[in-house]
Amino acid sequence: MSHSTLKERLYITIFGTHTPAGKAFDITLILTILASIIVLMLVSISPISQEWGQVFYLMEWGFTLIFTLEYLLRLYCSPKPAAYARSFYGIVDLLAILPTYLVFFFPAAHYLMVIRLLRVMRIFRVLKLVRYLQDSNLLLRSLLQSSRKIFIFFTTVAILVTVFGSLMFVIEGPEHGFTSIPYSIYWAIVTLTTVGYGDLVPQTDLGKTLASFTMLLGYSIIAIPTGIITAEIGHQSQLHRTLVKCMNCSRSGHEPDAVFCKHCGSELAHPDDRVVSAPVSK
């Protein structure tokens, strides 16, 4: 087997999902990621960690070596290794293995808190699962396209909680627990989001009136981000369907997994062919 052939087969197996080897690779990797997350959670439970600490330590190194090998193989077989390394999934893959190795650089006792932080960073491995979620790219595109509208929405909410918090500080004052404007803004955020911890409650009638209005406003605007993202997902889904075009009648609008044209009945280009023709990191 030539070097190029090996590289191509590794690419199809690691980055593709349309072959039995690719599906087996993905399933194995998903199970490994889930197992590593479970081990990380068990280590945080003191009684279990004390009894099985050595076993968990060896398992963690085993997971790290597996993910390191996976990362190196992705760099090796990727058509553009530098682009993969700088991509979202490339950075996540690197974050999944770095903490275990970085512990070597912090051996002193006063660095124990840093080591604990690095261990917790292993939770980034759960982000590796994103690439295996169906339509995850559609969701990411929808979030990116909605980012401007969501930013404007949160800016408006930030202005509202600042105004309501300031008004509540003037109405209630320190004698009723509203000791500062930032603390009053905290109350406004908790109230507007309908969380209602109850640690800060207005006492005057005017304050209760303002609180009631804030709560009603919170119920009114809480669904706005969901509506923005849902509308964008619908738009992106329609846009994605237009990319699947029939070579016979040249009509588009097919589902991504469609096999035959819904207009003329001709066979469409196989979805696997479309994936392989444009190498993209999973």
Side-chain angles (χ1 to χ4, degrees):
M1 182 184 297
S2 66
H3 175 78
S4 59
T5 303
L6 174 63
K7 193 172 183 179
E8 290 173 359
R9 294 193 62 179
L10 282 175
Y11 172 78
I12 294 174
T13 300
I14 295 175
F15 286 93
T17 59
H18 57 283
T19 63
K23 292 178 181 178
F25 177 84
D26 286 347
I27 292 174
T28 302
L29 195 57
I30 290 172
L31 294 176
T32 306
I33 294 170
L34 293 175
S36 70
I37 298 301
I38 292 174
V39 168
L40 175 61
M41 292 180 178
L42 291 176
V43 169
S44 67
I45 303 175
S46 183
I48 298 179
S49 178
Q50 291 177 1
E51 184 175 356
W52 300 93
Q54 187 63 28
V55 176
F56 289 152
Y57 176 80
L58 295 176
M59 291 179 66
E60 173 56 36
W61 268 109
F63 292 137
T64 300
L65 292 176
I66 291 173
F67 294 135
T68 301
L69 178 61
E70 178 219 354
Y71 181 72
L72 294 176
L73 286 176
R74 288 183 183 276
L75 287 175
Y76 168 72
C77 67
S78 176
K80 297 180 180 179
Y84 162 71
R86 293 193 300 267
S87 67
F88 169 77
Y89 293 122
I91 294 173
V92 169
D93 291 343
L94 187 61
L95 286 175
I97 61 176
L98 272 184
T100 304
Y101 294 115
L102 288 178
V103 169
F104 286 116
F105 297 97
F106 302 97
H110 60 280
Y111 284 132
L112 286 177
M113 291 302 296
V114 178
I115 295 175
R116 183 179 298 176
L117 175 62
L118 293 175
R119 285 182 172 179
V120 173
M121 282 180 62
R122 293 170 188 158
I123 201 70
F124 278 103
R125 286 175 184 169
V126 77
L127 294 178
K128 289 164 65 68
L129 293 173
V130 173
R131 68 160 62 104
Y132 303 106
L133 297 178
Q134 190 175 8
D135 296 331
S136 60
N137 290 331
L138 174 64
L139 180 58
L140 290 175
R141 288 198 306 271
S142 301
L143 291 174
L144 289 175
Q145 293 297 323
S146 305
S147 59
R148 182 172 177 271
K149 296 177 183 177
I150 294 176
F151 174 76
I152 294 174
F153 168 76
F154 279 111
T155 302
T156 305
V157 172
I159 294 172
L160 288 174
V161 296
T162 302
V163 171
F164 291 155
S166 301
L167 288 175
M168 189 60 72
F169 173 73
V170 173
I171 295 171
E172 295 291 330
E175 61 272 16
H176 292 150
F178 293 81
T179 55
S180 65
I181 291 180
Y183 197 40
S184 301
I185 291 175
Y186 155 77
W187 167 86
I189 294 173
V190 171
T191 305
L192 191 69
T193 55
T194 69
V195 176
Y197 289 130
D199 56 342
L200 197 59
V201 181
Q203 303 297 323
T204 65
D205 292 337
L206 186 57
K208 292 178 180 179
T209 301
L210 179 60
S212 300
F213 177 75
T214 305
M215 286 182 274
L216 290 175
L217 184 63
Y219 276 111
S220 302
I221 68 175
I222 198 170
I224 292 178
T226 305
I228 293 174
I229 297 174
T230 301
E232 190 60 42
I233 288 176
H235 173 71
Q236 290 294 329
S237 298
Q238 182 62 34
L239 185 64
H240 189 66
R241 283 195 292 269
T242 61
L243 298 178
V244 184
K245 191 174 183 179
C246 176
M247 301 300 294
N248 182 50
C249 65
S250 300
R251 300 180 71 174
S252 58
H254 303 86
E255 296 295 331
D257 57 350
V259 178
F260 298 97
C261 175
K262 62 183 178 181
H263 303 290
C264 68
S266 299
E267 186 173 3
L268 300 172
H270 196 276
D272 297 338
D273 298 333
R274 294 196 292 268
V275 171
V276 176
S277 61
V280 177
S281 171
K282 289 191 298 183

